[in-house]
């Protein structure tokens, strides 16, 4: 059963337990999905509302994107728990002969790559949610602007949270070129998102007048 | 049925819908609960583990607190959806006579106070989760340190997210003294948490070596 098919309370229990999955990567993916859902909510509270006729087309466009991200993040949550298992399985491979050791080393390195790519994808989707929160806050229903703000705050935090999981796995990867590439992709993701989040929060405070 | 008794996917659907509850305040409460669960996980991965005997008592103490917060945040999520309904109901009260109008005004102001106190309580519990993530990252199982980092990131963001909902309601409260008091309590909450989060992340990066 996929994690999103479980009850919220059950998912929280699994997260809190000493079982290492679901763990931080899954928490980041679910947080990102919550953020995407809030961006969708702002769009849904704007589409068809009097006074927001001019924003309708843009809101439909944002909604299509936020709903796609909301569907994708739970899939990445599943993938994150699976790649973790693959890393653990690789570490448990036999290491009696030199051949064993070389095969084990190779399997570990392959699994660590996958275990870096999945949280990087989670971070990328969270970064996209941050970007969508900005036009949602700017042109969406004023009355729901704080929900866009919550979406931006949550998505930006979950982006950084997912990147911690990239960093852990990256620390054991031996291919220096690949590690450099990962680092570049991480920097590109985070570069402008702090600023975007700050702009969303500025809009929120401006519109609610507090 | 309480929101935590629903399936994760169903909760996400409800959040994304044009129904204004659950909204941003509920997202913040659930994010805080996810963060508390991750702090609990770090404790559960440390208690009884070889090499962490000295940390055991502290981890049991942190765990008791993080589990209490994990239980309380879903209750605050319910309360948040309820106070929203009370604000809406107060606005819908009759306003034909002067007496009606005065009663309506009074009911709105009362409901807005409640609708400020609940997200402030959510923010307070999230702030407590940030504080617990620090000793969890410092003395907990090194192997789970990134989970403490994710907990700190999520909890700090959700604290700010909940405070947006305090700000919205505060903007319509007429009692200036009460508004000043709210502002002071908000400032006290956020004061040191940015720094605490940064210290947690420093510990995480130090321990994972990336």
């Amino acid at each position: 059963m996929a994690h999103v098919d479980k009850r919220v309370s059950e998912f929280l229990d699994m997260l809190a337990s000493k079982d290492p999955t679901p763990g931080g990567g899954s928490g980041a993916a679910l947080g990102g999905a919550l953020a995407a859902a809030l961006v969708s909510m702002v769009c849904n509270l704007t589409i068809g509302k009097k006074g927001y006729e001019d924003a309708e087309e843009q809101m439909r466009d944002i909604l299509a994107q936020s709903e796609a991200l909301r569907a994708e993040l739970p899939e990445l949550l599943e993938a994150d728990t699976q790649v973790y298992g693959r890393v653990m399985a690789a570490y448990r491979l036999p290491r009696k002969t030199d051949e064993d050791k070389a095969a084990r080393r190779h399997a570990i390195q392959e699994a660590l790559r996958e275990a870096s790519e999945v949280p990087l994808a989670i971070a990328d989707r969270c970064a996209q949610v941050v970007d969508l929160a900005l036009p949602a806050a700017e042109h969406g229903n004023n009355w729901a602007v704080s929900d866009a703000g919550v979406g931006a705050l949550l998505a930006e935090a979950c982006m950084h949270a997912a990147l911690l999981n990239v960093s852990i796995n990256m620390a054991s990867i031996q291919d220096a070129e690949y590690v450099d590439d990962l680092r570049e992709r991480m920097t590109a993701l985070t570069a402008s998102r702090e600023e975007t989040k700050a702009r969303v929060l500025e809009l929120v405070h401006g519109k609610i007048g507090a």
Side-chain angles (χ1 to χ4, degrees), chain A:
Chain A
M1 189 199 276
H3 287 85
V4 283
D5 293 329
K6 299 192 184 294
R7 291 178 197 283
V8 174
S9 57
E10 198 184 344
F11 181 79
L12 286 167
D13 288 343
M14 292 172 76
L15 204 58
S17 82
K18 68 180 174 188
D19 193 329
T21 59
S26 303
L30 181 54
L34 291 171
L38 285 165
V39 170
S40 295
M41 178 188 172
V42 177
C43 298
N44 283 323
L45 281 164
T46 308
I47 294 165
K49 279 280 175 341
K50 242 187 177 169
Y52 292 95
E53 291 80 2
D54 290 351
E56 180 139 345
E57 201 184 322
Q58 187 182 18
M59 289 297 136
R60 288 194 189 280
D61 182 46
I62 297 170
L63 181 62
Q65 294 178 66
S66 57
E67 288 295 277
L69 293 164
R70 181 161 83 85
E72 207 177 350
L73 280 157
E75 287 169 17
L76 288 166
L77 189 165
E78 292 309 309
D80 194 67
T81 60
Q82 286 158 9
V83 291
Y84 178 88
R86 261 174 252 153
V87 172
M88 289 300 104
Y91 275 108
R92 281 193 299 265
L93 285 174
R95 41 181 165 173
K96 280 181 189 163
T97 66
D98 283 353
E99 228 171 35
D100 278 354
K101 284 180 193 167
R104 178 174 174 270
R105 210 159 33 229
H106 181 76
I108 291 171
Q109 291 296 311
E110 279 302 301
L112 285 171
R113 271 179 188 247
E114 271 194 275
S116 304
E117 292 295 340
V118 173
L120 191 61
I122 294 172
D124 172 72
R125 302 315 180 272
C126 289
Q128 291 185 42
V129 176
V130 176
D131 291 347
L132 292 175
L134 182 60
E138 195 161 7
H139 304 294
N141 195 326
N142 282 340
W143 191 75
V145 69
S146 69
D147 299 304
V150 174
L153 279 162
L154 253 177
E156 204 249 359
C158 290
M159 174 191 73
H160 284 292
L163 292 181
L164 290 182
N165 279 34
V166 179
S167 294
I168 299 170
N169 293 306
M170 199 174 71
S172 305
I173 293 178
Q174 282 153 2
D175 180 343
E177 208 173 310
Y178 177 66
V179 169
D180 282 345
D181 172 60
L182 274 180
R183 269 192 227 283
E184 268 175 42
R185 286 153 69 199
M186 290 168 78
T187 307
L189 266 189
T190 53
S192 61
R193 266 66 191 224
E194 171 87 40
E195 203 188 304
T196 305
K197 179 192 77 174
R199 284 177 61 198
V200 173
L201 293 178
E202 231 175 274
L203 281 165
V204 174
H205 286 290
K207 287 194 179 187
I208 67 182

